[in-house]
Amino acid sequence: MAEGSDFRHWDELIPDALGLIFSKLSLQEKLTVIPMVCKSWAKAVMGPYCWQELDIEEWSSRRQLDDVDRMLQILINRSGGSLRKLCVSGLHNTRIFFSIADHAGSLRTLRLPRSNISDGVAEQIAGRLCAVTFLDLSYCDEISACGLEFIGKNCKALVGMCRNLHPLHTAGLLAPDDEARAIAATMPKLNHLEMAYHTLSTKSLMTILSSCPDLEFLDLRGCWDIRLEDKLVAEKFPKLRVLGPLVRDVYERNEWDEFSDYSYVSDDLAWDLSADYFDDGCSYDDPWDDEGRLEGLELRFYEGIDDDNGVFGWPPSP
């Protein structure tokens, strides 16, 4: 640049400033493009400012479960304890839940749909999730009213809760109202609650409404046993918006839910991470040292599928 110019090179920006800029980019760009530009950019993208909000829910739903755990561990360690938002699907390794809790000092939004978090794990980590204000435990079959109670008693700032169930999994529930009672008893500050496809009774629902006076949104899609009069809701709960219980189809779902148990992986639908990217000697107890490992990362990006048959976005049969 010309001498005396008021403009500076991008690589002269301090790492914190670069990190804030890079945080607006996609995960793919931050992992594969930015580190290859120059040393200062590579250093900045390794810092915590790029990783305060991690949303890999869509990516994780199309990957092998072990790959999801390992990738998430890398990103959590990069956040350096500054993580504010985390959205990931299908976690199954108990150790990763404890790792999340260990870095949850600043965490406000936590979405863990389709994960194997259990009541026992919830009991042990709930105390470290006290800053969380929005929690999504939808389709988590291993957790019950007991686990929700541990969370509610410890997460006093909780104002949003998603506990949607898959309609095919609700038939075997032995105590369908237990979760509703746990929510009513321990989460009085809720203003957003999703309980789609629960086998709730009208009585348990009224308990929630009387215990959570700040509720503004309630998702009851597929809760067929609920009998809630519009006039009653308008008179007693004027701020409340209720979605359901009726739905237009047998049940509303993500187009992938019917066909995937999340063990399916297609090379066309996911990043192809080479085995060199993961260190078999890594321990969840120690920070993941991935300095320089991105050179061994092989990624192929999904550019879209021509859906000539128009069936759920799947590629045509060979």
Side-chain angles (χ1 to χ4, degrees):
M1 297 183 67
E3 185 176 353
S5 172
D6 293 333
F7 298 97
R8 298 175 60 186
H9 288 286
W10 274 76
D11 59 3
E12 294 178 359
L13 287 174
I14 60 175
D16 292 356
L18 284 173
L20 289 174
I21 295 171
F22 296 156
S23 67
K24 307 299 182 182
L25 301 177
S26 69
L27 178 65
Q28 299 169 356
E29 292 170 320
K30 287 186 288 187
L31 287 177
T32 63
V33 178
I34 297 301
M36 305 303 173
V37 175
C38 62
K39 290 183 178 180
S40 64
W41 283 28
K43 181 179 179 180
V45 83
M46 292 294 292
Y49 285 96
C50 285
W51 312 105
Q52 292 178 338
E53 296 189 0
L54 302 179
D55 188 347
I56 59 171
E57 185 173 346
E58 182 178 356
W59 176 84
S60 61
S61 68
R62 292 161 170 80
R63 289 302 302 172
Q64 292 283 4
L65 298 178
D66 288 339
D67 287 352
V68 174
D69 288 343
R70 292 178 179 183
M71 173 63 85
L72 181 58
Q73 187 64 56
I74 291 175
L75 300 181
I76 288 176
N77 288 334
R78 285 193 181 186
S79 72
S82 62
L83 190 61
R84 294 196 300 255
K85 178 181 178 180
L86 174 60
C87 306
V88 59
S89 174
L91 296 181
H92 76 296
N93 193 319
T94 298
R95 291 177 295 175
I96 198 68
F97 296 118
F98 289 98
S99 182
I100 292 172
D102 290 339
H103 294 79
S106 302
L107 191 61
R108 298 293 183 269
T109 299
L110 179 60
R111 290 185 176 271
L112 302 173
R114 302 176 179 86
S115 297
N116 284 348
I117 183 172
S118 65
D119 291 339
V121 170
E123 181 180 8
Q124 296 180 66
I125 70 173
R128 286 173 281 173
L129 301 178
C130 56
V132 172
T133 60
F134 193 97
L135 180 63
D136 186 349
L137 296 178
S138 297
Y139 320 115
C140 296
D141 297 333
E142 301 300 320
I143 199 168
S144 68
C146 184
L148 294 181
E149 187 173 351
F150 289 128
I151 291 171
K153 288 180 177 179
N154 288 276
C155 303
K156 299 296 185 181
L158 202 61
V159 296
M161 180 72 190
C162 296
R163 183 63 181 128
N164 301 311
L165 298 180
H166 196 290
L168 298 180
H169 296 168
T170 58
L173 290 181
L174 298 179
D177 285 343
D178 281 1
E179 291 194 12
R181 286 193 288 265
I183 290 172
T186 63
M187 305 178 190
K189 295 182 180 179
L190 290 182
N191 60 36
H192 181 109
L193 176 60
E194 298 182 19
M195 298 190 72
Y197 295 99
H198 275 256
T199 51
L200 295 174
S201 67
T202 304
K203 181 179 179 180
S204 65
L205 174 61
M206 296 307 296
T207 302
I208 291 177
L209 294 181
S210 61
S211 302
C212 305
D214 297 328
L215 265 180
E216 297 180 1
F217 177 81
L218 182 59
D219 188 346
L220 296 175
R221 287 174 298 168
C223 298
W224 310 119
D225 295 331
I226 296 295
R227 300 293 182 267
L228 198 60
E229 296 181 6
D230 294 340
K231 183 178 180 181
L232 175 65
V233 173
E235 291 178 354
K236 289 194 173 184
F237 312 102
K239 298 187 300 180
L240 180 62
R241 175 179 169 237
V242 180
L243 181 62
L246 298 178
V247 291
R248 288 173 296 183
D249 201 348
V250 176
Y251 55 84
E252 294 182 356
R253 65 188 185 281
N254 182 291
E255 65 187 31
W256 293 94
D257 289 350
E258 183 177 358
F259 297 96
S260 176
D261 62 357
Y262 297 94
S263 61
Y264 168 87
V265 177
S266 167
D267 288 339
D268 292 327
L269 293 175
W271 301 359
D272 184 12
L273 288 88
S274 67
D276 294 338
Y277 184 56
F278 298 132
D279 184 357
D280 292 336
C282 146
S283 169
Y284 281 90
D285 298 327
D286 300 321
W288 190 295
D289 181 13
D290 59 338
E291 184 78 37
R293 295 184 186 277
L294 292 179
E295 293 182 359
L297 178 65
E298 179 186 353
L299 301 178
R300 285 185 288 171
F301 302 111
Y302 171 51
E303 300 293 343
I305 294 176
D306 293 328
D307 186 14
D308 295 331
N309 298 326
V311 181
F312 299 110
W314 293 95
S317 301

